[in-house]
Amino acid sequence: MTAPTLPTAPYAPFAPDASNASHATGGADRAAPAGAADGSPGPEGGTARPGSPELLRSVFRRHAAGVAVITAESGGRPAGFTATSLNSVSAEPPLLSFTIGTGSSSWPAVRDSEYLGVHILGEHQRELAGLFARSGADRFGPGTGWAAGPHGVPLLDGVLAWLVCRVVARVPAGEHRVIIAEAVAGDPAGEGRPLLYHQGSFNALRD
């Protein structure tokens, strides 16, 4: 190939694998109270806090993010993990991005694969999201429906939408890598409503 998991409760919106628990939005910390050591004013009478990993975690626990599963084929075996850092980057060309920690069990497969699968999960797939986020789990065991798709990428059954993407860049970002990939095939026609990640748990979308 060309080169260019969390316990049962998910941690980080970037790649909720157990090995990413120390990432900026990870951990089971509670939302921090207002009030900064420097006493700088904030909106509605609050005070600004100095930048820190704890501050970033607390803020991003308030951010509702969509839930995706990223898959790859490595050495003839499927690999994959739950991520909530998926972003559209460009329409022309069709680029997306996500992040993964270099300590993640799935990092070697993502590092070495030219093509990846990106799956948008529905609210009926909370168990699947938890399975692919759980460290040491048999993610492609008998209970997981999947098949090899274009370029041999493992594709999961029953998702809202999927893409097969060609990796175009792996950008260092601290202990993580930002993966930028170009969509080469896909299907947006799955039925259902999206699964969300918010305040440390998977949630259904409310109207």
Side-chain angles (χ1 to χ4, degrees):
M1 293 294 183
T2 302
T5 286
L6 132 103
T8 52
Y11 284 139
F14 300 101
D17 194 314
S19 53
N20 288 338
S22 64
H23 192 265
T25 52
D29 55 296
R30 299 175 182 173
D38 62 5
S40 302
E44 298 184 0
T47 52
R49 297 172 55 193
S52 67
E54 291 73 20
L55 174 63
L56 196 61
R57 291 188 186 105
S58 296
V59 168
F60 269 89
R61 283 176 65 83
R62 303 271 182 147
H63 173 65
V67 181
V69 167
I70 310 299
T71 59
E73 183 275 330
S74 178
R77 301 184 63 181
F81 66 100
T82 299
T84 55
S85 59
L86 186 66
N87 288 289
S88 173
V89 173
S90 167
E92 295 288 346
L95 299 177
L96 58 78
S97 70
F98 63 89
T99 64
I100 179 172
T102 55
S104 166
S105 60
S106 298
W107 166 240
V110 173
R111 178 194 62 204
D112 298 337
S113 295
E114 183 177 4
Y115 293 92
L116 304 171
V118 177
H119 308 77
I120 307 301
L121 299 194
E123 62 184 9
H124 61 289
Q125 294 179 305
R126 296 188 195 200
E127 290 187 7
L128 186 68
L131 174 66
F132 274 80
R134 190 162 57 248
S135 180
D138 185 4
R139 298 172 183 177
F140 289 89
T144 302
W146 67 281
H151 301 283
V153 172
L155 296 179
L156 303 175
D157 295 344
V159 298
L160 299 190
W162 60 266
L163 292 167
V164 169
C165 301
R166 181 180 62 86
V167 176
V168 298
R170 299 174 178 88
V171 182
E175 295 181 350
H176 288 66
R177 295 294 181 270
V178 179
I179 308 302
I180 302 174
E182 180 177 5
V184 298
D187 184 355
E191 296 183 358
R193 291 158 62 87
L195 183 64
L196 299 180
Y197 177 77
H198 179 245
Q199 291 284 25
S201 63
F202 297 122
N203 295 276
L205 180 68
R206 300 187 186 94
D207 293 326

